[in-house]
Amino acid sequence: MERTEINEILEESDRFIRSFGHVLPPFAYWSPEELRTRTASDAAQIAANRLGWDITDYGQGRFDELGLFLFTVRNGSAEDLTRGRGMLYAEKIMISRDKQLSPMHRHNIKAEDIINRGGGRLVLELFSSADDGSPDPEAEVAVLTDGVLRRMKAGSRLALDPGESVTLMPGDWHAFWAENGDVLIGEVSTVNDDLTDNVFREPIGRFSSIIEDTAPRHLLVSDYDVWLSR
Ligand SMILES: [Fe+2]
């Protein structure tokens, strides 16, 4: 993706989020320079726990069809998770655009609630894991939807209207997309590690490769390794 396109998606996404009365935290609006200075002093946690903007086309260069906007608002640490106490949780705000697919994947560690916070309808395709970890084409899928257990056939589609959510446990395969308009999505989960805890059904990347045709307005989490060490 070109940096120009990423800058545009940041602006459009910020507008969409604000249209629901939801506002991102202050560090969302820091310049790359301020983020670099502050993560070297009082805001080290932002870089260490990879908080912030995240736009992905899964490395395929077709963002409108295959992609997702995310912003990690908070994220605990793997050490706390291992200790079993402390900051074991994470929160993201995401936008799935109309008919924009997030491809089939599962997590090894993370349990996540995917919440339709407003807009169109969010549709998820679901499979259980077979013994080898692959999507089971036969096994029933059982998920909690706002405390209500739903049992469905393998590969069923679960539609979430605004206000509805689903709890996905480690091993639950899921792909999702929006219908009838863009959807503002909340994610409340256990500690999140996007570098290691995404298993995709198809061989696919988690992050975009970026062509630097203009300066970044704000850094993406995937920029931190390079840009914050300059
Ligand atoms: Fe997921």
Side-chain angles (χ1 to χ4, degrees):
M1 301 176 85
E2 292 178 348
R3 186 65 74 172
T4 302
E5 188 187 356
I6 287 174
N7 286 344
E8 280 169 13
I9 295 168
L10 291 181
E11 261 186 65
E12 290 162 5
S13 301
D14 188 56
R15 267 201 303 277
F16 185 71
I17 291 167
R18 285 174 183 269
S19 75
F20 293 89
H22 194 90
V23 183
L24 296 174
F27 67 85
Y29 306 104
W30 293 354
S31 66
E33 190 49 47
E34 181 168 10
L35 189 69
R36 180 160 45 212
T37 312
R38 300 284 293 274
T39 51
S41 55
D42 63 334
Q45 204 223 19
I46 292 170
N49 293 15
R50 300 178 78 81
L51 313 184
W53 303 96
D54 183 359
I55 291 166
T56 184
D57 65 355
Y58 301 95
Q60 304 299 298
R62 295 177 286 128
F63 178 75
D64 289 340
E65 297 160 49
L66 188 70
L68 188 63
F69 165 88
L70 314 92
F71 187 98
T72 301
V73 184
R74 69 200 80 243
N75 191 16
S77 68
E79 294 76 40
D80 280 5
L81 198 59
T82 306
R83 282 195 307 153
R85 60 190 296 187
M87 196 173 178
L88 314 177
Y89 53 88
E91 180 193 7
K92 291 181 187 181
I93 190 89
M94 313 190 288
I95 299 167
S96 190
R97 297 188 177 192
D98 198 37
K99 300 183 183 65
Q100 184 188 37
L101 175 68
S102 283
M104 187 62 71
H105 68 283
R106 65 171 170 80
H107 309 286
N108 289 317
I109 305 290
K110 183 171 74 165
E112 58 185 356
D113 281 15
I114 301 292
I115 308 148
N116 184 336
R117 297 277 193 206
R121 168 175 272 202
L122 184 65
V123 181
L124 296 97
E125 191 177 308
L126 302 170
F127 289 93
S128 295
S129 278
D131 289 344
D132 66 356
S134 65
D136 192 320
E138 306 290 340
E140 180 187 81
V141 176
V143 287
L144 283 168
T145 51
D146 302 296
V148 177
L149 185 64
R150 284 209 227 183
R151 298 177 183 281
M152 295 173 298
K153 286 183 185 162
S156 288
R157 292 176 176 186
L158 174 68
L160 301 176
D161 284 321
E164 293 187 309
S165 73
V166 61
T167 301
L168 300 170
M169 299 304 281
D172 289 344
W173 285 92
H174 51 288
F176 57 85
W177 61 91
E179 292 183 0
N180 303 327
D182 301 350
V183 177
L184 186 68
I185 304 168
E187 178 181 308
V188 173
S189 73
T190 28
V191 171
N192 174 80
D193 185 351
D194 280 317
L195 298 174
T196 60
D197 196 23
N198 293 291
V199 181
F200 290 99
R201 183 177 61 186
E202 269 72 57
I204 203 167
R206 168 60 179 81
F207 296 102
S208 307
S209 49
I210 299 173
I211 299 160
E212 302 295 348
D213 62 332
T214 189
R217 216 180 150 75
H218 304 293
L219 295 183
L220 305 182
V221 167
S222 52
D223 292 324
Y224 292 174
D225 288 345
V226 171
W227 287 74
L228 297 183
S229 61
R230 283 183 180 184

